[in-house]
Amino acid sequence: VHGGTPLTSLVMAADGEHGPLTFEVVYAPTGRASCKHCKGLISERSVKFIRSVSNPFHDGMMAVGFHGACFWPMQLKQRASTRKLASLDDLIGFNDLRPDDQDVIEAAFAKNQLDLAAKASGAKPKKAAKEPADDGAAEPAPKKTKAKKAKAESAEGGEAEAAEPKK
C-alpha cells in the first residue's frame, strides 16, 4: 500500500523500468481524496477509479483518482496515443466490487467504447438532446453587452435619469 493507494504498479521492476500504466477500481477508504478531473472530493465508500501515471516530480509512478462519472469523459479527452482502458479485464479490482456496481461500470464501459470508436472515426460522440420547450416561445435574443446597452439607450434619445455606473 502506497499512501493509502493499493496500486501494485507503483513498485519499480528489478531492472529499473517502471511498470505499465494501470487502471484500478476500489471503494474509497476515506473521503479525503480529490478527483483529478473535476477537483471535487471523492466521498468515502464510493467507487473510485485509480490510474497510475508517470510522476513528473521524480522517477516512478503516481496514482491519480477519479469519480466514476469523471473517469469516462477523461478517457475521451486524452490523446489518441495515450493508453486507455481497453477491457474490463485490465481493470484491477473490478471483480471485488458489488454486482450492482459492476453492472454500472459495464454499461459505462460499453458506452465509452462506442464514444471512443466514434471519436477515432472522426464523428463526435452524441450528447443527450435537450427537449424543446412546448410553450411556443421563440428562442431568446442574444444577450447585449454593457457597451451595446449603453449605445442603445443613448440612441433612444437618452433618458433624463442616467444610471450611476457600478464601482
Side-chain angles (χ1 to χ4, degrees):
V1 176
H2 181 272
T5 303
L7 273 179
T8 56
S9 65
L10 294 174
V11 179
M12 288 178 57
D15 60 0
E17 292 293 318
H18 301 294
L21 295 179
T22 59
F23 299 94
E24 184 170 2
V25 64
V26 296
Y27 290 111
T30 67
R32 297 179 305 189
S34 61
C35 176
K36 182 73 172 179
H37 184 73
C38 73
K39 310 295 187 231
L41 290 179
I42 301 171
S43 60
E44 185 176 4
R45 291 187 292 267
S46 67
V47 173
K48 174 183 173 181
F49 285 85
I50 301 170
R51 180 170 187 252
S52 67
V53 296
S54 296
N55 192 326
F57 304 109
H58 60 80
D59 289 342
M61 304 295 280
M62 67 179 199
V64 292
F66 299 91
H67 290 111
C70 294
F71 179 75
W72 306 108
M74 177 270 312
Q75 294 253 305
L76 284 175
K77 289 183 178 181
Q78 292 177 331
R79 295 183 186 124
S81 61
T82 302
R83 183 173 180 269
K84 297 171 185 63
L85 183 64
S87 165
L88 288 178
D89 295 334
D90 296 340
L91 189 59
I92 299 168
F94 177 73
N95 293 326
D96 298 334
L97 298 177
R98 293 186 296 261
D100 57 329
D101 290 330
Q102 288 181 1
D103 293 341
V104 169
I105 291 172
E106 285 173 349
F109 177 76
K111 181 187 179 312
N112 186 59
Q113 291 302 103
L114 293 173
D115 290 345
L116 285 172
K119 181 180 177 183
S121 69
K124 292 186 178 180
K126 294 182 178 179
K127 294 184 179 179
K130 293 182 181 179
E131 294 182 19
D134 290 334
D135 59 3
E139 290 187 25
K143 293 183 179 180
K144 293 182 178 179
T145 62
K146 289 182 181 180
K148 287 183 180 179
K149 284 181 185 178
K151 187 176 180 181
E153 286 177 6
S154 65
E156 291 174 359
E159 298 192 20
E161 297 179 83
E164 291 283 328
K166 291 184 180 180
K167 292 184 180 180

